[in-house]
Amino acid sequence: MSIIRVNIFTDVISKEGVRSVIQTLTVRIVGDVHVRPGQRFKDEMNKSDRFIAVTNAVIYNARGEEIFQSEFMTINLDHVVWLSPVDEQPDSDSR
């Protein structure tokens, strides 16, 4: 009996990290949300996948205190109250 090995390749999708603030009911997350170059931030949020990948995340409690850091996390969009790119925030303190 012989074993046949098949290499399966998937397309590599280039994405750019956009520093963002994500508010849930209980915490605020500041991290990099990844979007395709030239695509609107809104389009990435409206795709059929219910989770978004966030890298370099810092999680803050309701008092603005840092409670956790993660190099990678996924967030269920059903739990997001609002999100915005940091460069669209009114001041530079994104907490």
Side-chain angles (χ1 to χ4, degrees), residues 38-53:
Q39 187 173 26
R40 296 181 313 167
F41 192 77
K42 179 182 175 185
D43 294 335
E44 192 68 28
M45 299 307 105
N46 287 333
K47 66 183 184 176
S48 62
D49 190 6
R50 295 307 311 150
F51 289 84
I52 56 170

Side-chain angles (χ1 to χ4, degrees), residues 3-51:
I3 298 174
I4 299 174
R5 295 185 183 205
V6 178
N7 288 333
I8 300 174
F9 297 95
T10 58
D11 292 332
V12 174
I13 299 172
S14 295
K15 292 192 174 187
E16 299 171 339
V18 177
R19 197 72 177 163
S20 303
V21 181
I22 304 155
Q23 181 68 52
T24 71
L25 289 175
T26 57
V27 297
R28 181 169 292 182
I29 302 161
V30 178
D32 298 325
V33 175
H34 298 270
V35 297
R36 290 182 176 104
Q39 187 173 26
R40 296 181 313 167
F41 192 77
K42 179 182 175 185
D43 294 335
E44 192 68 28
M45 299 307 105
N46 287 333
K47 66 183 184 176
S48 62
D49 190 6
R50 295 307 311 150
F51 289 84

